[in-house]
Amino acid sequence: MIPTLDVALREKQLRWFGHVRRSSTWTNKAHLLEVDGTAVKGRPRKTWTATIKEDLKAWHLNEADTILSSKWRTRLRTAAKRHTRASHGQLPTG
């Protein structure tokens, strides 16, 4: 079954998140930086971290699972299949 665009994009973004979390370079530390300065008017923009947290919650994934790449990949594929079936009108199993 072909995943919907939403499911495919979430899966790719979460795979990248796992890669960043396992990285020992500046990429792992850069997403935690706070930027000094004044905020613009209106609602603040949605951050990458906020999007990832929402996706983790929606797909019932744990950030701690990113440590082992094989476990993370398996969990992502299972969650993506579950959401693909749900988006195609089939009931998720498990």
Side-chain angles (χ1 to χ4, degrees), residues 14-31 48 66:
L14 288 169
R15 283 182 65 194
W16 177 251
F17 173 68
H19 175 72
V20 168
R21 291 290 294 154
R22 286 187 302 277
S23 174
S24 61
T25 61
W26 61 270
T27 56
N28 192 13
K29 297 164 187 70
H31 77 277
W48 182 72
T66 62

Side-chain angles (χ1 to χ4, degrees), residues 1-92:
M1 198 171 299
I2 299 173
T4 61
L5 183 59
D6 179 48
V7 171
L9 289 175
R10 277 188 179 190
E11 182 182 7
K12 291 288 185 183
Q13 188 167 338
L14 288 169
R15 283 182 65 194
W16 177 251
F17 173 68
H19 175 72
V20 168
R21 291 290 294 154
R22 286 187 302 277
S23 174
S24 61
T25 61
W26 61 270
T27 56
N28 192 13
K29 297 164 187 70
H31 77 277
L32 300 174
L33 292 175
E34 294 289 329
V35 179
D36 292 333
T38 58
V40 296
K41 286 186 176 181
R43 181 178 58 91
R45 289 186 175 178
K46 191 175 193 179
T47 63
W48 182 72
T49 305
T51 303
I52 291 294
K53 286 182 182 181
E54 285 179 10
D55 290 349
L56 289 172
K57 186 175 181 180
W59 281 24
H60 306 290
L61 296 170
N62 188 351
E63 190 174 336
D65 293 338
T66 62
I67 295 170
L68 295 173
S69 61
S70 59
K71 183 178 182 179
W72 182 244
R73 193 175 309 118
T74 302
R75 300 266 335 254
L76 276 178
R77 286 181 182 157
T78 303
K81 285 180 185 177
R82 183 175 43 228
H83 284 275
T84 299
R85 279 188 246 125
S87 65
H88 285 291
Q90 298 179 1
L91 294 175

